[in-house]
Amino acid sequence: QVQLVESGGGLVQPGGSLRLSCVASGSIISIYAIDWYRQAPGKQRDLVAGINSANNTNYADSVKGRFTISRDYAKNTVYLQMNSLKPEDTAVYYCRAPEIVTKGSIRYLEVWGQGTLVTVSS
């Protein structure tokens, strides 16, 4: 069994910063890519940023220059550093792994975390 657990959300004022963490657990052999998504109330879930095993990154236009995704392979952790936060960044943030391979070559597809709430408000 594998699991993704997000943390680091909270209430922050406009212009402030937060760092989200996504920790993968289980007998993991490899995770090619991990993405961050967010879902605001009444809206669809959108891709925010992604990183793969070659450390290639991609960002939504709305967060470019403000958010940075990074990865610690030793800790099976992906971070999302969010700076210059705006009220429109308020959402539940989820991490997602398209595929996780564990010992015994077991493949888990579309693994999602439970989400962490980010609220940007004065």
Side-chain angles (χ1 to χ4, degrees):
Q1 193 67 278
V2 297
Q3 194 175 13
L4 296 177
V5 179
E6 303 97 333
S7 63
L11 174 64
V12 63
Q13 292 186 342
S17 297
L18 281 175
R19 188 177 80 156
L20 306 184
S21 299
C22 171
V23 180
S25 62
S27 300
I28 295 170
I29 298 298
S30 69
I31 306 175
Y32 176 69
I34 291 185
D35 306 315
W36 283 98
Y37 282 75
R38 67 185 180 188
Q39 187 168 22
K43 296 190 176 181
Q44 67 181 21
R45 191 173 296 188
D46 293 324
L47 178 66
V48 175
I51 187 167
N52 65 19
S53 58
N55 280 335
N56 296 317
T57 59
N58 60 284
Y59 297 92
D61 287 343
S62 59
V63 306
K64 282 181 182 176
R66 299 189 297 123
F67 290 11
T68 303
I69 189 170
S70 61
R71 186 169 178 173
D72 185 331
Y73 290 87
K75 296 181 179 180
N76 276 333
T77 301
V78 171
Y79 303 99
L80 186 66
Q81 178 67 43
M82 306 187 296
N83 299 328
S84 302
L85 283 161
K86 305 175 182 180
E88 51 264 43
D89 295 317
T90 296
V92 177
Y93 284 71
Y94 300 89
C95 60
R96 165 208 177 231
E99 180 184 75
I100 297 177
V101 180
T102 66
K103 290 181 180 178
S105 299
I106 299 172
R107 298 169 64 227
Y108 293 83
L109 304 179
E110 291 299 319
V111 182
W112 288 83
Q114 83 290 344
T116 185
L117 177 63
V118 172
T119 303
V120 184
S121 175
S122 55

